[in-house]
Amino acid sequence: MLNGKTAVVTGASRGIGKAISLCLARAGADLALIYAGSKEAAEGVCKEAKKLGAKAISYQCNVADWSQSKAVCDAITQDFSTVDILVNNAGATQDNLIVRMSEEDFDAVIGVNLKGAFNFTRHLARALMKSSSGRIINITSVSGLMGNPGQANYSAAKAGVIGLTKTVAKELAARGVTCNAVAPGFIQTDMTASLPQAVKDYAHTATPLRRMGSADEVAETVAFLASSQSSYITGEVIRVDGGLCM
Ligand code: NAI
């Protein structure tokens, strides 16, 4: 399905990013995997992808940094003959109520979640336009759709990602590139593992499907958006949230 395509996935060393990377590799894509800190974990994902028959290279990068992102995107376009799929998945939270939130925590969360998606889209846009079927998939959150107490920075960043998604969809449509967003609800990963038990209990009761989702359930939706099966979908936000935000 994705044979001959190259996918760039940010935040690929664990959680949802790892699941997306391996799902795309299973569908036949080669992988440029972006990680922030753990080379060992990123190399582990590369190894698994190679077992699936993919070419896979990992690159260390703070996605919030313009120059580092540019250098890595330039390296990717040298190392792979095409860039067809970009998944802006890297994300981070620094939760606090608005009355206590520091400027640093606001800027850091906007930096990773929103500017990171901008940086990689900006630096890979020309390469994606050269692809016969360019695809950009941004991982946003239900927090960006409905707000969430304690997450002013994160909700603002993820809502910003939706605005970015729709504008990029309109700008690049004429070049055959689609741009969509996936909005997960409560998904079992390191990000949610540290939530207080009361929030985990809330996740179950507030979600109509009465459970948290898995990283693979998000990854399957991303793989659909990366495939030719989604060719007439652009500027869309698909919730993968068990019905939480309806
Ligand atoms: P995670 O914390 O397990 O993974 C996040 C990844 O982003 C990590 O690999 C981390 O190293 C990377 N990252 C963080 N800062 C970075 C930076 N400056 N530069 C490069 N990489 C960086 O979290 P998870 O759950 O896998 O989240 C993946 C995406 O899904 C994020 O965008 C998150 O906001 C989003 N999401 C997650 C939900 C959940 O319930 N787990 C719900 C809604 C959205």
Side-chain angles (χ1 to χ4, degrees), residues 10-17 34-37 61-64 88-93 112-113 139-143 154 158 182-192 212:
T10 68
S13 62
R14 67 177 199 221
I16 293 171
I34 315 302
Y35 68 97
C61 180
N62 171 9
V63 297
N88 284 308
N89 164 79
T93 52
V112 179
N113 294 279
I139 308 302
T140 175
S141 167
V142 290
S143 294
Y154 184 74
K158 293 302 197 186
V182 172
F186 287 100
I187 307 297
Q188 275 178 313
T189 67
D190 290 353
M191 190 177 267
T192 47
M212 289 175 87

Side-chain angles (χ1 to χ4, degrees), residues 44-58:
V45 181
C46 274
K47 212 169 158 186
E48 282 188 60
K50 283 176 186 162
K51 276 193 205 149
L52 295 165
K55 170 179 171 177
I57 304 178
S58 69

Side-chain angles (χ1 to χ4, degrees), residues 52-229:
L52 295 165
K55 170 179 171 177
I57 304 178
S58 69
Y59 304 82
Q60 183 171 28
C61 180
N62 171 9
V63 297
D65 186 293
W66 166 269
S67 313
Q68 269 187 46
S69 301
K70 180 167 187 337
V72 163
C73 290
D74 287 348
I76 292 168
T77 51
Q78 296 284 314
D79 293 341
F80 293 85
S81 50
T82 61
V83 175
D84 310 280
I85 300 156
L86 166 63
V87 185
N88 284 308
N89 164 79
T93 52
Q94 297 274 351
D95 296 355
N96 222 330
L97 295 173
I98 189 78
V99 290
R100 294 199 203 115
M101 187 171 286
S102 68
E103 183 183 8
E104 290 74 23
D105 284 354
F106 186 82
D107 289 347
V109 168
I110 296 285
V112 179
N113 294 279
L114 179 55
K115 194 175 174 205
F118 163 72
N119 282 339
F120 268 70
T121 304
R122 169 69 180 80
H123 297 313
L124 289 174
R126 286 198 171 84
L128 287 158
M129 285 192 277
K130 284 188 200 149
S131 167
S132 54
S133 56
R135 297 274 190 275
I136 301 170
I137 299 127
N138 295 323
I139 308 302
T140 175
S141 167
V142 290
S143 294
L145 290 169
M146 59 182 188
N148 196 23
Q151 294 196 313
N153 49 4
Y154 184 74
S155 312
K158 293 302 197 186
V161 166
I162 293 172
L164 176 72
T165 301
K166 292 182 179 179
T167 296
V168 170
K170 286 184 176 177
E171 287 191 17
L172 301 189
R175 308 298 295 267
V177 179
T178 68
C179 182
N180 293 289
V182 172
F186 287 100
I187 307 297
Q188 275 178 313
T189 67
D190 290 353
M191 190 177 267
T192 47
S194 56
L195 288 173
Q197 190 55 44
V199 179
K200 289 183 188 164
D201 292 345
Y202 167 79
H204 283 76
T205 50
T207 302
L209 286 179
R210 288 285 184 269
R211 64 174 175 87
M212 289 175 87
S214 72
D216 284 335
E217 288 173 310
V218 179
E220 291 292 349
T221 306
V222 172
F224 163 70
L225 289 171
S227 76
S228 60
Q229 289 167 306

